[in-house]
Amino acid sequence: MGFSEFIGNGAVVERLRRSIGNGRLPQAMILAGPAGAGKYTLALMIAQAANCINPAELESRATGELPDFCGECPNCVRIAAAAPLSARFEEAVAVREELREADKKETRILIQTHPDVLVIPPDPPQLLIKLGQVRRVIHEIYRFPSEARRAFYIFTSSGFMKEAANSLLKILEEPPEFASIVLLTENPGELLPTIRSRACIVRLAALPLAEIEALLASRREDWKPAQRSLVARLCEGAAGRALNFPLEGYLASRQDALILIRGAMAEPDYSALFRMTETYRAGAEGQQKMSGLNRALMSVLEDLLLLRSGNPELIRNIDLAAELTRMADALSLEWLESAAGGVSRLESGMRRNLLRAVALDSFASEVSV
Ligand SMILES: [Zn+2]
């Protein structure tokens, strides 16, 4: 257990550890990076390292070593229990669903597995941080931590309701010395400039392709080498996304995307197309399948555009390089542009909740003309 488990961004992690060691961890910190880069994991690790009470850890600190955490002491264990975020979030939402109507309205989603570490996720259904959540932080943050050396308030999203952002700003103007506010975001630009200027920005960079490939080689031996290369190219440098990549689902969606594109390229073979569109039904499952198909369609179309424009080294679906090259040779740039336009219309049609199968059929006939 410890920081050695964190994948990539070694220099950033070392800087954070040093600031824990010399007692200079910022009171407000923006942890920025792509989805799956490990922002939440790192935020919890920082909270653990700042509060680990294992004698061996404390001793190593006295000798000036970089702080780490044991993962076994009561503070470490309870802080670690706040992960995985998606499971804790769903539990909190389920608890609220059980409440009486009147209480439901007043209750905001929060995750707290340690008395001094509060996790604030975006509140459904709008999935924004709300005033009630920030009020809870205001209520707690000036209270001296009871069992931790340093209290942590971790906002897992930068999507704030306006009044919530304004309230957060008030805390940031005068934060207590014994607490750190950590804001996780894919895009710091989403935060108010006045919030950004009061926080220290720490960026997790995308990992290089070779690093992701090495990681997958050691941790996903169940995937074939060609599949690992594919995932490494699709995960956009995010280790968490690579390790948990829904490969089977992606391959199925991509199969459908290829049927659609082939159908639209030639005299469409409507029988194959209809067979496929019939499997896309309405409802939550259909919607998920449909957005998977959209992503796969876009990734294949982007590769076709890259091949068409003479950049074969940049394609992501490399396991299909031969077939995609043949397809790209048979297609014009105009066709590809109109197909990409078709996919974005397909997406907006979904948002308007068109019958999914109808939308798919019209996509194929539209781009084939
Ligand atoms: Zn510990």
Side-chain angles (χ1 to χ4, degrees), residues 48-49 51-55 57 61 68-77:
Q48 285 174 296
N51 290 305
C52 182
I53 49 175
N54 189 305
E57 287 298 337
R61 235 158 271 203
D68 212 329
F69 58 96
C70 72
E72 288 165 1
C73 71
N75 278 345
C76 279
V77 168

Side-chain angles (χ1 to χ4, degrees), residues 190-212:
E190 274 178 13
L191 291 160
L192 289 177
T194 40
I195 289 182
R196 283 204 306 271
S197 68
R198 283 175 173 80
C200 155
I201 300 190
V202 178
R203 285 178 201 277
L204 292 179
L207 304 190
L209 186 60
E211 211 168 311
I212 297 274

Side-chain angles (χ1 to χ4, degrees), residues 47-213:
Q48 285 174 296
N51 290 305
C52 182
I53 49 175
N54 189 305
E57 287 298 337
L58 295 173
E59 210 169 287
S60 72
R61 235 158 271 203
T63 61
E65 281 173 54
L66 280 180
D68 212 329
F69 58 96
C70 72
E72 288 165 1
C73 71
N75 278 345
C76 279
V77 168
R78 283 178 294 169
I79 295 169
L85 177 59
S86 56
R88 292 300 93 82
F89 173 75
E90 274 162 32
E91 285 160 17
V93 172
V95 168
R96 179 164 75 180
E97 282 308 305
E98 295 292 306
L99 298 175
R100 292 183 305 143
E101 270 322 303
D103 296 334
K104 227 184 254 184
K105 270 206 194 96
E106 298 301 316
T107 307
R108 292 285 160 255
I109 300 297
L110 293 160
I111 297 165
Q112 187 156 38
T113 56
H114 184 289
D116 303 309
V117 178
L118 185 65
V119 175
I120 307 102
D123 197 90
Q126 302 90 335
L127 287 179
L128 291 168
I129 308 277
K130 293 184 186 152
L131 184 57
Q133 292 170 297
V134 179
R135 282 210 176 119
R136 172 76 180 275
V137 175
I138 295 175
H139 183 75
E140 293 207 359
I141 198 167
Y142 297 102
R143 170 182 66 77
F144 200 77
S146 57
E147 295 179 49
R149 288 189 294 274
R150 187 169 193 80
F152 283 84
Y153 297 85
I154 303 167
F155 290 86
T156 66
S157 151
S158 51
F160 279 76
M161 303 271 274
K162 202 169 165 222
E163 34 327 350
N166 287 332
S167 291
L168 176 67
L169 196 55
K170 291 206 189 87
I171 315 176
L172 293 179
E173 278 165 4
E174 224 176 327
E177 271 171 28
F178 46 74
S180 279
I181 295 169
V182 187
L183 297 157
L184 311 185
T185 182
E186 286 175 40
N187 174 16
E190 274 178 13
L191 291 160
L192 289 177
T194 40
I195 289 182
R196 283 204 306 271
S197 68
R198 283 175 173 80
C200 155
I201 300 190
V202 178
R203 285 178 201 277
L204 292 179
L207 304 190
L209 186 60
E211 211 168 311
I212 297 274
E213 283 189 323

